Amino acid sequence: KSAYGYVFEWNSYFAPRAAYELQKKGYKLKVATEPFTGVIDGGTKEFGYGTIEITAGSNQQANFESLNTLLQTLAERDGVNFYGVKTGLTPTGIDLGSSYFASMRQPKALMLTGLNVNPNDAGETWHLLDTRVNLPLTMADITQTNRMSLEKYNTLILSSGDYNTLEEEKIKTWVRNGGVLIAM
């Protein structure tokens, strides 16, 4: 247990599933953009880029007390090691809670499918996100994309295929406004 917060590394296969589950339950997560040494039970531990932070201060709306039980469940289910940190001050590297930890947005993903999109690649992506990560994925036919609003999504996935019919300026504007484009 920790009164300050917890960290976990992004090197586990199911770390994305654990992160999404935490976000779904209302916990705010941050990601380390630099390495650091955390003060944990039994001493210190080196953490690298991409380590995820869950702090009590940024999660007052969510039930921080029930977090211990949830983390135990996720650790057993997903094989993710969660470390209770004693303080936000670190012996080396960035301090927890600093501006070197970027807020993680909960993904709201859209994947384009249909004519000229490789169905095997799209199916593999769908299976990975749906079955392995438990992340809901909206799929839209490529012919509908130019008529639909992308504003309710923050991630657009393009598996291998021909996307020449997409309005390029619409996609560029959406990315400039903070959307994440994943093109395979």
Side-chain angles (χ1 to χ4, degrees), residues 26 28 56-57 59 67 85 93 125 154-155 157-158 161 165 171 184:
K28 292 178 175 64
N59 284 292
L67 181 59
V85 289
T125 302
N154 59 25
T155 307
I157 302 170
L158 307 178
T165 59
I171 304 298
M184 297 180 235

Side-chain angles (χ1 to χ4, degrees), residues 18-29 54-56 58-64 66-67 70 104 106:
Y20 186 76
E21 183 79 17
L22 287 160
Q23 288 179 316
K24 193 167 71 170
K25 299 228 185 265
Y27 295 99
K28 292 178 175 64
L29 307 181
I54 315 160
T55 58
S58 65
N59 284 292
Q60 292 181 0
Q61 298 292 6
N63 187 349
F64 198 71
S66 67
L67 181 59
L70 177 59
M104 285 180 66
Q106 184 175 1

Side-chain angles (χ1 to χ4, degrees), residues 7 15 21-22 28-29 31 35 38 55-56 74 77 82 90 96 100 102-103 109 113 122 126 154 160 171 175 184:
V7 295
E21 183 79 17
L22 287 160
K28 292 178 175 64
L29 307 181
V31 59
T55 58
L74 294 176
R77 182 190 80 184
F82 295 94
T90 63
L96 279 68
Y100 291 101
S103 293
T113 60
W126 179 25
N154 59 25
S160 61
I171 304 298
V175 169
M184 297 180 235

Side-chain angles (χ1 to χ4, degrees), residues 25-183:
K25 299 228 185 265
Y27 295 99
K28 292 178 175 64
L29 307 181
K30 294 186 174 190
V31 59
T33 60
E34 298 284 335
F36 64 96
T37 302
V39 179
I40 61 171
D41 275 338
T44 61
K45 179 173 175 15
E46 300 292 323
F47 294 97
Y49 297 93
T51 297
I52 307 300
E53 172 189 28
I54 315 160
T55 58
S58 65
N59 284 292
Q60 292 181 0
Q61 298 292 6
N63 187 349
F64 198 71
E65 291 300 317
S66 67
L67 181 59
N68 294 319
T69 305
L70 177 59
L71 292 182
Q72 186 173 354
T73 302
L74 294 176
E76 291 169 5
R77 182 190 80 184
D78 297 336
V80 175
N81 293 320
F82 295 94
Y83 300 91
V85 289
K86 301 298 180 195
T87 176
L89 301 175
T90 63
T92 61
I94 60 175
D95 288 331
L96 279 68
S98 73
S99 62
Y100 291 101
F101 277 85
S103 293
M104 285 180 66
R105 289 187 299 178
Q106 184 175 1
K108 294 177 181 99
L110 170 68
M111 183 172 68
L112 301 187
T113 60
L115 187 63
N116 296 327
V117 175
N118 184 312
N120 292 327
D121 289 349
E124 182 178 350
T125 302
W126 179 25
H127 175 76
L128 173 71
L129 294 177
D130 182 51
T131 305
R132 302 288 181 168
V133 181
N134 292 342
L135 188 141
L137 178 66
T138 301
M139 292 180 272
D141 192 280
I142 191 171
T143 59
Q144 301 171 346
T145 309
N146 291 334
R147 296 187 309 266
M148 67 187 289
S149 172
L150 299 177
E151 304 314 310
K152 63 181 175 180
Y153 305 101
N154 59 25
T155 307
L156 177 62
I157 302 170
L158 307 178
S159 54
S160 61
D162 180 358
Y163 294 93
N164 288 330
T165 59
L166 288 181
E167 291 179 16
E168 186 176 331
E169 195 53 43
K170 179 179 183 174
I171 304 298
K172 284 182 179 180
T173 300
W174 178 80
V175 169
R176 279 188 209 109
N177 290 330
V180 175
L181 178 63
I182 300 172

